[in-house]
Amino acid sequence: MEEDEIVSVFPIHYSDILSPDVHVHQFPLLTRPLQTPPSAALSGKRIRARIKPMARKLEIHVPVDTRPEIWNQDKSKQFGVARTEDDREKNQDSSSTKQREGEEPRLTEVRLQSEQIPQQEVYMLGVIHNDRLHLVPVSETHQFRPTLTYLDLTSRKSGRSRRGAGSDSDSDDYPPDPDEPAPVVTAPKKEKKLAEGKEVQVSARKLVEDRNSNMQGGMSAIRREMLLAIRAVEDEPWQAVEFCDGETEESNQVFQSIFSDNEERLECKTSITTLLKSIRGL
């Protein structure tokens, strides 16, 4: 069996000068870059960002392409009003998102919000530069997805208006919101009839009732904890941060700081046996 030919050898340089500020951000953009559309850039719009440090939440606001041939202005007004109300309900207003006095709300940007992904192992960012492999540890990984919570508010309003109009169509009914109080339904009164005496197993019925009440109490406690956690995230104020495109001078300076010229050799204190045992699946 022929051995694989060694094509090239790269010296490895390790640097933690940027730790713990190196994150991996994943966006659902396929092959498109995260950039402001040309039509929005011509009007002076740019990408903005904000952060909730305690909740480890990041949000990026990307201006949309508002050319008439691909953008519906009527829907933009409708969804703009819904997003404004949704922000107000969830305490998401900030100085950068508040509307100017007398300005009509419009949907002019896509919001991408992050969800931190737990890291099972140690991740490294590697860059080959000048025939050297430079490694930098990655501290956090975040996945970004569009936030469309304003559509839930629009659906709830639409459902209420249809129910208020007395629509009997099953296809127009919306599922009830778990956060809204359930409507009180009054059962029609019926004539009471004397029932014949029957023997009832009280102990068995009580056991089932106690078991159901314990389950409901446990579910209520879990749901209460979830609601408190969600409320804590919503109550934390957003802090604006500067978004720098990959072609800016600030980004280039950070990128250059990855490369290390330190020639000090690192000593490996882990044996090959310990290393192999630490690899899962071997």
Side-chain angles (χ1 to χ4, degrees):
M1 182 177 178
E2 296 182 1
E3 296 183 357
D4 293 336
E5 180 185 357
I6 299 178
V7 178
S8 59
V9 177
F10 291 101
I12 299 177
H13 288 252
Y14 174 84
S15 174
D16 59 355
I17 189 174
L18 296 178
S19 183
D21 297 328
V22 179
H23 299 177
V24 172
H25 293 175
Q26 301 173 345
F27 301 93
L29 302 175
L30 298 180
T31 59
R32 295 174 298 168
L34 184 63
Q35 294 179 347
T36 304
S39 60
L42 290 175
S43 60
K45 297 179 181 178
R46 58 184 180 86
I47 298 177
R48 295 180 292 108
R50 56 185 185 176
I51 186 175
K52 290 187 176 184
M54 298 299 296
R56 311 306 297 169
K57 288 282 186 181
L58 297 163
E59 195 172 79
I60 296 178
H61 300 184
V62 184
V64 297
D65 192 345
T66 57
R67 289 176 296 169
E69 57 267 24
I70 61 173
W71 189 252
N72 189 320
Q73 295 294 340
D74 294 334
K75 289 292 184 181
S76 172
K77 297 177 183 179
Q78 176 187 351
F79 293 146
V81 173
R83 171 176 280 178
T84 301
E85 294 182 9
D86 186 55
D87 286 346
R88 190 179 300 113
E89 287 183 3
K90 298 178 179 178
N91 300 323
Q92 301 301 299
D93 284 334
S94 66
S95 58
S96 60
T97 58
K98 290 181 180 179
Q99 297 290 329
R100 298 176 183 175
E101 185 177 355
E103 183 181 3
E104 186 178 12
R106 292 175 181 268
L107 188 69
T108 58
E109 62 188 15
V110 175
R111 294 182 183 176
L112 301 173
Q113 194 171 107
S114 72
E115 188 71 28
Q116 186 173 358
I117 306 300
Q119 295 187 168
Q120 302 298 329
E121 305 293 343
V122 178
Y123 294 95
M124 292 283 181
L125 170 65
V127 180
I128 296 179
H129 180 71
N130 291 337
D131 294 332
R132 296 180 180 183
L133 175 59
H134 298 266
L135 297 180
V136 179
V138 175
S139 57
E140 295 180 12
T141 301
H142 295 264
Q143 288 184 349
F144 285 77
R145 296 181 179 89
T147 56
L148 304 174
T149 53
Y150 57 88
L151 294 181
D152 297 334
L153 187 143
T154 304
S155 298
R156 291 201 302 268
K157 284 187 174 182
S158 178
R160 293 194 197 102
S161 62
R162 285 171 177 159
R163 286 195 295 268
S167 174
D168 295 333
S169 174
D170 294 340
S171 61
D172 292 339
D173 290 339
Y174 286 79
D177 189 343
D179 294 331
E180 293 184 354
V184 179
V185 179
T186 305
K189 295 183 178 180
K190 297 181 179 180
E191 295 182 0
K192 296 183 178 180
K193 296 182 180 181
L194 296 177
E196 297 180 0
K198 295 182 179 180
E199 184 178 354
V200 181
Q201 296 291 337
V202 178
S203 59
R205 182 175 180 181
K206 188 175 187 303
L207 179 61
V208 174
E209 289 178 353
D210 291 344
R211 187 177 300 173
N212 291 338
S213 63
N214 291 336
M215 184 178 296
Q216 291 177 359
M219 291 300 294
S220 299
I222 294 174
R223 188 170 185 270
R224 183 163 52 251
E225 292 178 1
M226 293 176 60
L227 292 176
L228 289 175
I230 294 174
R231 177 60 63 184
V233 173
E234 293 178 350
D235 289 344
E236 182 182 356
W238 286 105
Q239 298 180 16
V241 294
E242 184 181 1
F243 179 88
C244 297
D245 190 84
E247 304 299 327
T248 60
E249 181 61 29
E250 293 83 356
S251 297
N252 185 58
Q253 291 179 1
V254 174
F255 180 71
Q256 293 297 328
S257 66
I258 294 177
F259 309 131
S260 173
D261 295 328
N262 190 351
E263 298 294 341
E264 180 184 359
R265 289 184 175 272
L266 298 179
E267 180 183 355
C268 182
K269 296 183 178 181
T270 304
S271 65
I272 187 63
T273 303
T274 304
L275 176 62
L276 292 176
K277 288 182 177 180
S278 65
I279 301 177
R280 297 179 182 180
L282 291 181

